[in-house]
Amino acid sequence: MPTLQVLHYDAFSSEPNMGNPAGVVLDADHLSEKAMQSIARSVGFNETVFVLKSSHVDYRLRYFTPGHEINLCGHATMASMYCLKTRGFIDASQSAVTIETNVGILPITFNYINNELMVTMKQDHPQFVPFQGSAKKLAESLGLLEEEIDPTMPIVYGSTGTWTLLVPIKNLESFSRMKSNNDMFPEILVENPRSSVHPFGLETIKQEALMHARHFSSPYSGTIEDAITGTASGVMGAYYLTYLDQETTNIEFIVEQGTEVHKDGQVLVNVSREQDRIDVYISGTGVYVRKLDVEYIS
């Protein structure tokens, strides 16, 4: 079988082997969709991103879990953009690029905070769909009791490019006891059986964070849990303006995630409302970890 070099970057952390790992494949235009899927399966991370040429913007990105292609991935976008910028593919004087994804054209900006490169990506416009299933079974699939779900906030499917089910949790201590049974998800998520599940709460470990979260994968993706989730964090920002504070027009806050899987990371979320439109941005840093030589089926 042929061998390809994949770059392992961690997103939403500046410390190697923390944050959320992503495989980054540069100059991927020669690879077929079958090959991309095979590479992602061999890498085994929640997502591997393939950087391709675009005929009308700076780059085209495609994202694959070990099980299937997804339309958008926040942490893999962060990883690939951090990679391109720090390796000099994007000029040091260039503060913005535009990427083509399956959800459309999205802007990326770069800035430095305390000499650390921060990548900001705009996400797709948020969508929400009510959850009509059993909260009791949903709690059970997370290893919790129904009473641990916060009834003061709605359970909804949300998307800024990738669908996830937002599940509000009352207390921080519930997160450390979660043990997901991902195979149960499709029969519970009747409106969207391929959705992931994203429990979150307003109690946090770190004082500077507003929300705490975990993220459990769709069983179709071939993974169990995502350490720090960019797209779901963006959805949480839109959720805040839509359901928790309908008067505020702009909010910026930190989502902490990954503590329970020893992958501490954080996502900076910025959302703004103008009439019926909500714009969602997430920011984070990254770090290079290592090179992987991966065999794949072409």
Side-chain angles (χ1 to χ4, degrees):
M1 289 193 296
T3 301
L4 184 85
Q5 189 175 90
V6 179
L7 304 176
H8 170 187
Y9 277 80
D10 287 339
F12 303 124
S13 176
S14 56
E15 184 179 344
N17 296 309
M18 301 295 280
N20 201 358
V24 179
V25 179
L26 303 176
D27 300 321
D29 298 271
H30 66 288
L31 296 171
S32 66
E33 185 172 306
K34 178 183 176 182
M36 292 182 191
Q37 185 63 75
S38 176
I39 291 164
R41 188 178 302 112
S42 295
V43 171
F45 293 154
N46 283 69
E47 279 84 18
T48 295
V49 56
F50 297 85
V51 182
L52 303 102
K53 295 175 183 176
S54 172
S55 59
H56 49 289
V57 298
D58 295 294
Y59 299 98
R60 182 186 178 203
L61 300 185
R62 293 184 70 176
Y63 313 89
F64 287 79
T65 74
H68 57 84
E69 184 175 10
I70 60 172
N71 291 330
L72 185 67
C73 175
H75 84 271
T77 301
M78 293 287 168
S80 60
M81 293 297 106
Y82 185 92
C83 168
L84 291 169
K85 186 67 169 175
T86 55
R87 287 178 177 257
F89 292 96
I90 299 171
D91 192 82
S93 63
Q94 193 172 352
S95 62
V97 296
T98 308
I99 62 171
E100 176 186 354
T101 73
N102 286 352
V103 302
I105 306 300
L106 301 174
I108 303 291
T109 57
F110 304 97
N111 63 84
Y112 288 87
I113 299 176
N114 298 324
N115 294 319
E116 185 171 66
L117 175 64
M118 296 288 287
V119 180
T120 298
M121 69 174 289
K122 188 177 189 293
Q123 299 190 336
D124 200 16
H125 293 300
Q127 305 174 66
F128 294 104
V129 173
F131 172 68
Q132 306 286 356
S134 167
K136 182 178 180 180
K137 288 183 179 179
L138 178 59
E140 181 185 344
S141 73
L142 297 174
L144 301 179
L145 299 173
E146 183 179 358
E147 300 82 69
E148 295 177 83
I149 295 177
D150 191 338
T152 67
M153 296 186 280
I155 304 170
V156 296
Y157 300 91
S159 173
T160 52
T162 302
W163 285 99
T164 192
L165 182 71
L166 296 169
V167 186
I169 303 297
K170 283 182 186 177
N171 300 315
L172 181 63
E173 60 90 17
S174 296
F175 288 87
S176 62
R177 292 187 291 101
M178 288 178 183
K179 188 173 182 180
S180 66
N181 184 342
N182 302 49
D183 289 339
M184 291 179 63
F185 293 166
E187 66 184 56
I188 298 168
L189 312 183
V190 292
E191 300 87 2
N192 191 343
R194 302 186 74 87
S195 175
S196 58
V197 176
H198 193 76
F200 73 96
L202 301 180
E203 284 189 2
T204 61
I205 297 170
K206 297 175 182 176
Q207 187 174 357
E208 65 267 25
L210 179 67
M211 292 185 181
H212 184 90
R214 292 184 73 173
H215 187 90
F216 299 106
S217 309
S218 162
Y220 300 104
S221 71
T223 59
I224 301 298
E225 181 168 0
D226 217 3
I228 300 97
T229 322
T231 48
S233 294
V235 173
M236 288 161 65
Y239 180 101
Y240 188 92
L241 290 192
T242 302
Y243 298 104
L244 304 187
D245 188 346
Q246 297 181 353
E247 302 301 319
T248 296
T249 57
N250 179 270
I251 187 170
E252 183 174 272
F253 62 86
I254 290 171
V255 175
E256 62 180 24
Q257 194 182 333
T259 307
E260 294 81 7
V261 292
H262 311 293
K263 292 278 189 179
D264 287 358
Q266 60 183 37
V267 184
L268 180 64
V269 179
N270 185 297
V271 287
S272 59
R273 183 201 335 260
E274 186 173 345
Q275 297 178 340
D276 293 332
R277 174 188 175 121
I278 294 179
D279 290 323
V280 178
Y281 298 84
I282 62 166
S283 302
T285 189
V287 62
Y288 169 72
V289 181
R290 58 179 174 146
K291 296 177 182 177
L292 304 170
D293 290 320
V294 175
E295 290 186 339
Y296 65 98
I297 299 171
S298 57

